[in-house]
Amino acid sequence: VYREAGTSGIEYHFYHIDKQQGRLMQLADLFRPDYDYQTPISAEIQAQMRQQFRDNPNMSYWIDGNGMGTEEFERIADDQSFYFDDKGDLVIVFEKYDVAPGYMGCPEFVIPREVYQDGFLLSSTRLN
């Protein structure tokens, strides 16, 4: 859901429903309980941030001492926003100002399946 109302504020809300159990799902629900999904996904996001900055110095993320007085990005949150794109790839979404200055909008990062497949429980088609 996209909502914008007369300001530069943007909010995204993603709802993932397990129809079999009739409940909302969080990112953690997609992984084995003993699997640390946050570490490899966070490392991939940091790598993508660094690559984007190398490709375009006008891009800026709050990592590597570039926090601009804010807390730098280290790990995705337990309640991290996500969705699956048309190809079934996991996409991690941050709110405006969470990991970058406001001019960067709401950054999104496509996470290759090989980053998290060892602990993944569900196919993305089950969430559609």
Side-chain angles (χ1 to χ4, degrees), residues 26-47:
Q26 298 292 323
L27 186 58
D29 296 325
L30 303 179
F31 299 95
R32 291 188 332 258
D34 64 332
Y35 181 71
D36 175 17
Y37 67 94
Q38 290 175 308
T39 297
I41 291 174
S42 299
E44 174 64 24
I45 291 169
Q46 289 174 341

Side-chain angles (χ1 to χ4, degrees), residues 39-109:
T39 297
I41 291 174
S42 299
E44 174 64 24
I45 291 169
Q46 289 174 341
Q48 289 184 31
M49 289 175 169
R50 290 179 184 109
Q51 184 60 52
Q52 288 178 22
F53 178 72
R54 283 191 295 273
D55 293 345
N56 181 353
N58 292 321
M59 299 187 92
S60 179
Y61 293 103
W62 294 331
I63 59 170
D64 300 333
N66 192 27
M68 298 183 195
T70 65
E71 187 174 324
E72 292 192 1
F73 172 70
E74 293 181 14
R75 272 177 93 76
I76 59 173
D78 291 337
D79 61 348
Q80 186 66 52
S81 292
F82 71 98
Y83 68 91
F84 289 92
D85 67 13
D86 295 352
K87 298 176 187 174
D89 293 328
L90 175 64
V91 180
I92 300 295
V93 181
F94 293 94
E95 293 297 324
K96 191 173 180 180
Y97 303 108
D98 278 355
V99 297
Y103 74 86
M104 296 283 292
C106 295
E108 297 185 3
F109 299 90

